[in-house]
Amino acid sequence: MTPRDVLLELLADPLPAGCVRSAAEQLKRLAAEEFAGAGLACGSVEAYGTCRRLVLYAAGVTGGQMVKTLSDIFPRILSRLEFQQARAWEPSGFRFPRPVRGLLALHGDRLVAFSAAGLRSGRTTEGHEALGPRRLSLASAEKYFKTLEHASVLVKEDGRLEAMNAALEAASRRMKLGIEAHEETLGECLYCAEYPVPVISGFAQEFLALPPERLRGVLRSLRFFPVSDDDGRLQPYFAAFRDGVSKGQRNVEDGFRAALESRLQQIS
């Protein structure tokens, strides 16, 4: 049998950013265990997470009765995922942080049929909530990442991180100021957007009178990035990310500014 790639995607309502990384790590570990237990050989097993989906991707999988075996494995993997906060959203009792909206499961170009979370698996998914096609049909597992990228979804974390760093660097050059790309804040933003787009906004000059590290702490608590000059002095601007581009960018900037200034007024 010619090795083909295996794909499992769980599509959900927007997930809490703090649970996604752990869920993806669990997904990879559980899949490796289940594949080994079923005697399935594969070139690699990877898992990815965004604010709306968990994705398992195994390359070059071979083994006997492949589709039947995967149909048994996939619901077991999903049922073994653990979360600090989860609940059943439908009668089957499947527990997840948010309602599950779709299941995509393929071995190469063959559908892997199974049931979980009150849903049947299929070969369709969705693009970006605001930018991409509402429904996408996958011809094969191997076309998944390119199809989603064309629908404005960067599934892989390293792709989103690269886009975020490049966007901050470009904004920094335009402003001729430094944007403090705090690693922890980047890590949090990574799971808040499927197509991260930078937003540059500002705040009232008077708040620069606050102790610099206190001001930085408030900015980072909101997942905002401080802006400073060449000497490290904070400036009355900040960078942030939103998920995709749509009408009302100015409203987003104003909303971020209002949220920040409200928090700063509380500590002034």
Side-chain angles (χ1 to χ4, degrees), residues 15-29 46-55 81-83 96-97 155-158 160-161 164 182-192:
L15 296 165
C19 78
V20 180
R21 184 195 300 269
S22 170
E25 291 172 350
Q26 291 181 65
L27 190 59
K28 179 178 179 176
R29 174 178 56 80
E46 298 295 339
Y48 309 97
T50 77
C51 54
R52 292 193 66 222
R53 65 196 83 214
L54 294 176
V55 178
L81 292 172
E82 296 181 351
F83 302 92
F96 204 69
V155 176
K156 297 182 179 181
E157 287 90 341
D158 58 358
R160 295 199 302 280
L161 184 59
M164 290 163 64
H182 190 249
E183 185 175 350
E184 185 175 338
T185 308
L186 277 170
E188 292 174 359
C189 291
L190 195 59
Y191 297 103
C192 296

Side-chain angles (χ1 to χ4, degrees), residues 17-244:
C19 78
V20 180
R21 184 195 300 269
S22 170
E25 291 172 350
Q26 291 181 65
L27 190 59
K28 179 178 179 176
R29 174 178 56 80
L30 293 171
E33 291 176 4
E34 292 283 355
F35 281 25
L40 300 182
C42 58
S44 64
V45 177
E46 298 295 339
Y48 309 97
T50 77
C51 54
R52 292 193 66 222
R53 65 196 83 214
L54 294 176
V55 178
L56 171 68
Y57 197 88
V61 182
T62 60
Q65 296 186 315
M66 180 67 67
V67 171
K68 172 64 169 65
T69 302
L70 292 171
S71 295
D72 294 336
I73 285 175
F74 282 168
R76 285 204 302 270
I77 291 173
L78 294 178
S79 69
R80 293 175 63 190
L81 292 172
E82 296 181 351
F83 302 92
Q84 287 188 343
Q85 293 185 328
R87 53 163 286 192
W89 300 91
E90 38 71 38
S92 78
F94 180 82
R95 298 178 64 82
F96 204 69
R98 294 291 185 270
V100 179
R101 299 304 183 189
L103 297 169
L104 166 64
L106 297 172
H107 171 234
D109 56 4
R110 299 180 67 191
L111 172 67
V112 178
F114 72 96
S115 296
L119 300 171
R120 291 287 294 171
S121 61
R123 58 171 64 246
T124 61
T125 185
E126 296 181 3
H128 189 279
E129 197 167 24
L131 303 176
R134 189 64 180 172
R135 301 298 293 176
L136 298 167
S137 181
L138 269 291
S140 70
E142 291 84 355
K143 295 182 181 297
Y144 176 74
F145 294 108
K146 279 296 182 184
T147 300
L148 269 290
E149 185 176 348
H150 290 155
S152 301
V153 176
L154 301 177
V155 176
K156 297 182 179 181
E157 287 90 341
D158 58 358
R160 295 199 302 280
L161 184 59
E162 182 179 347
M164 290 163 64
N165 278 317
L168 291 180
E169 290 171 6
S172 178
R173 288 194 298 271
R174 288 195 304 272
M175 299 172 71
K176 297 182 179 179
L177 291 168
I179 297 177
E180 300 177 9
H182 190 249
E183 185 175 350
E184 185 175 338
T185 308
L186 277 170
E188 292 174 359
C189 291
L190 195 59
Y191 297 103
C192 296
E194 294 197 310
Y195 191 81
V197 172
V199 175
I200 305 298
S201 189
F203 55 89
Q205 188 94 15
E206 65 193 71
F207 293 116
L208 290 176
L210 289 167
E213 287 312 306
R214 195 172 188 188
L215 181 51
R216 283 186 171 92
V218 173
L219 284 160
R220 289 167 180 162
S221 73
L222 294 170
R223 301 190 181 116
F224 296 163
F225 299 87
V227 174
S228 55
D229 63 16
D230 290 342
D231 295 321
R233 292 186 296 256
L234 287 174
Q235 302 299 301
Y237 310 105
F238 64 90
F241 285 98
R242 67 176 301 190
D243 194 6

